[in-house]
Amino acid sequence: MIRGGGWSPDLFQRANATRLAQQFSLVRDLGLNAIRLEGKMEPDAFFSLADQTGLLVLVGWCCCDAWQHWDLWGPEQHAVARESLRSQVRRLRAHPSVLVFLYGSDENPPVDVEKEALAVFTSEAWHTPTLSSAAERTSPLTGATGVKMSGPYAWVPPVYYYLDNGTNHHLGGGWGFNTETSPGASPMVQQSLTSTLSAAHRWPRDEVWDYHCGSAKGIFGSLKYFVPELQQRYGNSSSLPAFLYRSQAAAYESHRAMLEAYTRNKYVLATGVVQWMLNNAFPQLIWHYFDYYLNTGGAYYGAKQALSTLHAQYSYHDRSVWVVNSLYRSVAAGPAVVEVWSVQGQLLWRRAHLLGKTVNSAVNSAHSSHSAHSSHSSSLLLPPDSSTLVPALSVPPPQDLGLHNTTYFVRTGILPPPSSSSSSSSSSSSSSSPSSPAALSPALANVYWLSTAPDKLDWADSNFYRTPCSQFSDFSALSSSSALPPVTLNVTLLSLSLSHASSQGTGPNSTSSSQQLLSAAAGGVSGGGDVVEALVSVHNPSAAVAFFVRLSLTDVQGKEMLPQMWQDNFLTFMPGESANLTVSFHSPAHLPQPTKSAVLVQYEVWNNVVNA
């Protein structure tokens, strides 16, 4: 299952080995396995690093420029195109990271151009797949591409990716192989925005913000397809911090939903999805998982949550819960837990279901010969690279739990397998009693905020870049200071140490694996800095929910150490909950060997930013 992002090179084509290594570290920490290059062929160092870190690369020509204006080509353009392709084929064919070469982009090339390209691939012994287009097209020479490029490119609600299943709307939902798609806007976190805009242009928003979107002459030249929807769902913002924090929440839920829908449907309906874009060539407010400064916001951590190697996820359209194993080996898993909480912090419903007891599960897997059930009743041996429906964990309609005209939380997660000495009778029971103790720590929980008035889509008004809503989720309860009052968290830096590559990770986005990759990427890179690992404790001593907590490490002047890769971020802590979290970062040049006294842990929380 390909899960990738579209690469943006530096605007001025500056080669920077340190920055390249850091960006690859972010890609692996995020959990992606592929990068797409559209026409902007990177230097050899890029492909060598992809080989080293196990990332696949989709390479190809660019759309919308001379490479696609075939009707204007003469003999010289044909010769340049042919020999340009030949030079790239010779350069790239030895790299195991290269997955496919797209010799067309938005459209199929004409037959004469395609014949020339195919002749080059044959004569130069190109051995990996080729595609005539990144879109759903059929070539008279090579047949159907087998992929789609159906958008969206602007914000859509999370449920979009579930309701479009390929047989009804045939758009960008979680089916097929989508070579470029995105929920669109992803405003920067406040430190990045203040580094980009002068104080006079930060708030209220003005035309200078538009300069950091897409082309002023194009569809995406502003946040016009994001801000109205944000206001409808989350309310109006009276300050820059409140606007940016609401934006992180919207980006988190939409990017997570896109990846979760594709992952849930893998190998049955879906085979790949490429986020448009992965990064930015200069500071932008749209289309990225991490921003120009290598800072990470809601889109990054929503995607990272969705790409967890062992993951329990909620489906927006039918309230079902699926368990996903993205490792290429079977994994013994403990109970999956689903909880429903009121916005005030009351546990309304809980189901802890030992997966080994599931009797009517549906399994999507590339390894269909593996059984979903082990011989033990105490755990489930999840098949490699699979998604498994767990019917026993379906969430009741909110009205059945006494929820009306409000916002509520659903939390999902997977606990470690019980020890062999544990009693199966005590560990395999299912419970829906609100008095049952919450088994999930915030570090294990996947938190959804939902409305009893869900988003509804106006499918008749769809186009290639968006589908508008006819009804919006009502998240106004999140902006109520009586429901989510200001809170003070106890946040402590427990330890700080240099990271070593000897630890064993459990997947591409496990903490220890990220340390290994970060260390490997930094090795031999001038100015790369040592890789530092910190352990941070967070406790919510209040009686309120601490919603959407963002953690960051700074120096004593308050400057964030970038990039930094948290085990998880934008977490939600129910009353009284605690968690320990790891974070890795490159030591900055001005702090080559940081100590605990030189590093501060900062936190922001929705309650204090939006509801202050």
Side-chain angles (χ1 to χ4, degrees), residues 40-193:
K40 310 301 186 291
M41 300 299 188
E42 290 294 308
D44 291 344
F46 178 98
F47 294 96
S48 295
L49 196 54
D51 295 342
Q52 177 187 348
T53 55
L55 287 168
L56 299 171
V57 186
L58 294 77
V59 300
W61 299 138
C62 193
C63 78
C64 314
D65 63 7
W67 287 101
Q68 195 170 291
H69 297 163
W70 299 291
D71 57 326
L72 301 178
W73 285 16
E76 182 178 1
Q77 285 72 35
H78 278 268
V80 168
R82 182 178 62 251
E83 296 311 310
S84 295
L85 177 62
R86 190 183 309 279
S87 69
Q88 293 299 326
V89 166
R90 289 177 175 176
R91 183 171 75 103
L92 300 178
R93 62 189 174 191
H95 285 283
S97 57
V98 177
L99 174 66
V100 63
F101 201 117
L102 291 86
Y103 54 92
S105 184
D106 290 10
E107 303 292 342
N108 278 335
V111 170
D112 59 337
V113 175
E114 186 173 10
K115 284 182 177 179
E116 292 174 347
L118 295 173
V120 170
F121 288 122
T122 299
S123 65
E124 299 298 337
W126 181 260
H127 57 278
T128 58
T130 60
L131 282 178
S132 62
S133 174
E136 186 178 4
R137 300 287 186 265
T138 299
S139 160
L141 299 178
T142 56
T145 59
V147 298
K148 67 177 185 178
M149 197 185 78
S150 49
Y153 296 89
W155 181 86
V156 290
V159 72
Y160 169 98
Y161 295 100
Y162 294 88
L163 292 178
D164 172 33
N165 59 22
T167 61
N168 46 7
H169 306 295
H170 209 71
L171 293 169
W175 59 275
F177 190 118
N178 203 339
T179 60
E180 52 179 74
T181 184
S182 173
S186 185
M188 294 175 272
V189 296
Q190 188 166 345
Q191 176 168 311
S192 295
L193 190 83

Side-chain angles (χ1 to χ4, degrees), residues 201-459:
H201 295 288
R202 291 174 193 160
W203 191 259
R205 293 178 299 106
D206 61 16
E207 70 283 353
V208 176
W209 283 55
D210 297 347
Y211 181 76
H212 295 276
C213 295
S215 167
K217 298 180 180 180
I219 297 169
F220 311 108
S222 72
L223 297 177
K224 64 182 179 181
Y225 296 124
F226 177 74
V227 173
E229 290 82 357
L230 181 74
Q231 293 171 337
Q232 286 279 354
R233 300 171 86 240
Y234 287 96
N236 295 325
S237 298
S238 59
S239 68
L240 175 65
F243 173 81
L244 292 178
Y245 222 76
R246 285 186 168 105
S247 298
Q248 301 314 313
Y252 185 108
E253 57 167 346
S254 57
H255 286 79
R256 174 180 60 182
M258 176 182 73
L259 289 167
E260 285 187 337
Y262 274 88
T263 300
R264 166 192 145 138
N265 295 334
K266 62 182 175 182
Y267 309 126
V268 174
L269 293 177
T271 55
V273 58
V274 178
Q275 152 82 5
W276 197 258
M277 303 283 294
L278 170 66
N279 57 339
N280 295 141
F282 87 123
Q284 286 191 277
L285 298 164
I286 64 172
W287 296 343
H288 62 251
Y289 279 139
F290 52 87
D291 69 26
Y292 179 77
Y293 305 98
L294 309 187
N295 212 330
T296 50
Y300 183 94
Y301 283 101
K304 180 172 179 174
Q305 178 64 246
L307 294 170
S308 300
T309 50
L310 191 60
H311 184 59
Q313 62 184 56
Y314 169 86
S315 301
Y316 281 85
H317 68 310
D318 62 7
R319 304 186 311 280
S320 64
V321 173
W322 292 65
V323 171
V324 175
N325 175 19
S326 291
L327 296 171
Y328 297 106
R329 58 179 172 82
S330 298
V331 175
V337 179
V338 182
E339 302 168 344
V340 179
W341 293 77
S342 72
V343 73
Q344 292 84 6
Q346 179 186 8
L347 178 61
L348 302 175
W349 182 88
R350 177 177 179 271
R351 180 62 54 88
H353 190 85
L354 193 62
L355 298 175
K357 293 294 187 181
T358 303
V359 293
N360 292 316
S361 62
V363 180
N364 302 341
S365 176
H367 308 267
S368 57
S369 62
H370 290 263
S371 170
H373 299 274
S374 70
S375 59
H376 305 285
S377 62
S378 60
S379 65
L380 170 70
L381 194 65
L382 289 171
D385 198 17
S386 62
S387 55
T388 305
L389 170 66
V390 187
L393 295 180
S394 291
V395 177
Q399 293 77 13
D400 292 358
L401 302 176
L403 293 165
H404 303 279
N405 302 316
T406 189
T407 303
Y408 61 100
F409 299 112
V410 169
R411 297 205 305 182
T412 64
I414 304 172
L415 300 178
S419 64
S420 57
S421 60
S422 298
S423 167
S424 60
S425 61
S426 63
S427 62
S428 64
S429 62
S430 297
S431 171
S432 59
S433 170
S435 63
S436 299
L440 287 175
S441 94
L444 293 176
N446 183 14
V447 180
Y448 301 81
W449 45 102
L450 304 170
S451 171
T452 52
D455 297 297
K456 294 182 180 179
L457 288 139
D458 182 6
W459 294 104

Side-chain angles (χ1 to χ4, degrees), residues 8-23:
S8 292
D10 180 78
L11 183 63
F12 297 106
Q13 297 290 305
R14 292 168 292 196
N16 185 324
T18 298
R19 183 176 174 85
L20 180 65
Q22 291 173 341
Q23 290 185 93

